[in-house]
Amino acid sequence: MNKIHSFIDKIILPLPSLKFSTMGNRRAFDVAFVGLKPGLHEFVYELDEKFFIEKEATEISNPKATVKMTLEKNTGFMLLKFEVGGNADVICDRCGNSLTLDLWDEFKMLVKLVDDAKIMNEQEEDPDVFYLSRNESHLYVGDWIYEFVLLSIPLQRM
């Protein structure tokens, strides 16, 4: 019995702490929109290398990014505006050396509250429109933030 206890203590017990740290970071990007009053709400996200490592980003290093998200809550929909700023190191297309580039751009997303969000998202062709079930209370914005930061890096890196 002691061998089993020792095995459990070494292998299984440390696992919840790993899950907690991952879950804790994910929660930072969950917006509880149900409790928000109609109108404008501002959220600021400071992103470092840890965020990009979790997303398995390989094209940038040493990122110091700030994303300001403005959420305009209305009846039946939300308008999200993301303002990306900061800098990150990338590889120069010409010489292959490390190059620090400024990150800056603005992106908008329209989130509509509907009854059957899964079907609506499959049918939607506009990437700037997302459907969310009326039963949801939280909106996860971490994937959008990651995508928008990467899109703010110029295609030509020289």
Side-chain angles (χ1 to χ4, degrees):
M1 200 60 135
N2 286 342
K3 288 182 181 181
I4 292 174
H5 250 357
S6 175
F7 176 76
I8 290 172
D9 289 341
K10 288 180 184 173
I11 303 298
I12 296 177
L13 290 180
L15 291 179
S17 65
L18 291 174
K19 285 184 180 179
F20 180 76
S21 66
T22 304
M23 292 288 289
N25 195 22
R26 181 174 168 85
R27 284 190 201 140
F29 299 97
D30 270 337
V31 177
F33 64 88
V34 170
L36 298 177
K37 294 179 181 180
L40 292 175
H41 305 275
E42 189 175 291
F43 302 86
V44 177
Y45 299 97
E46 299 289 332
L47 309 175
D48 57 8
E49 197 145 17
K50 181 181 175 186
F51 174 77
F52 293 95
I53 288 171
E54 288 176 0
K55 297 286 187 183
E56 299 177 4
T58 57
E59 55 270 349
I60 64 172
S61 61
N62 225 9
K64 293 173 187 72
T66 302
V67 177
K68 180 177 132 185
M69 183 185 80
T70 306
L71 183 149
E72 181 182 340
K73 185 177 179 186
N74 296 292
T75 306
F77 73 96
M78 294 175 281
L79 182 60
L80 306 176
K81 180 181 175 186
F82 298 86
E83 296 176 32
V84 178
N87 58 49
D89 293 342
V90 297
I91 302 299
C92 177
D93 291 336
R94 266 195 206 158
C95 64
N97 290 335
S98 183
L99 173 68
T100 301
L101 290 178
D102 289 331
L103 306 172
W104 59 273
D105 217 333
E106 289 183 1
F107 301 92
K108 292 183 180 178
M109 288 290 300
L110 178 64
V111 178
K112 295 181 180 181
L113 301 173
V114 296
D115 291 325
D116 201 354
K118 186 176 181 180
I119 292 173
M120 297 292 286
N121 280 321
E122 289 172 359
Q123 295 174 352
E124 182 61 51
E125 293 181 14
D126 188 352
D128 297 334
V129 177
F130 182 76
Y131 296 95
L132 191 64
S133 174
R134 293 185 194 278
N135 300 330
E136 294 291 328
S137 61
H138 289 75
L139 175 64
Y140 180 71
V141 296
D143 293 335
W144 289 331
I145 289 173
Y146 170 72
E147 183 178 325
F148 294 151
V149 169
L150 291 185
L151 286 172
S152 70
I153 298 172
L155 288 176
Q156 291 185 340
R157 302 165 186 178
M158 292 184 246

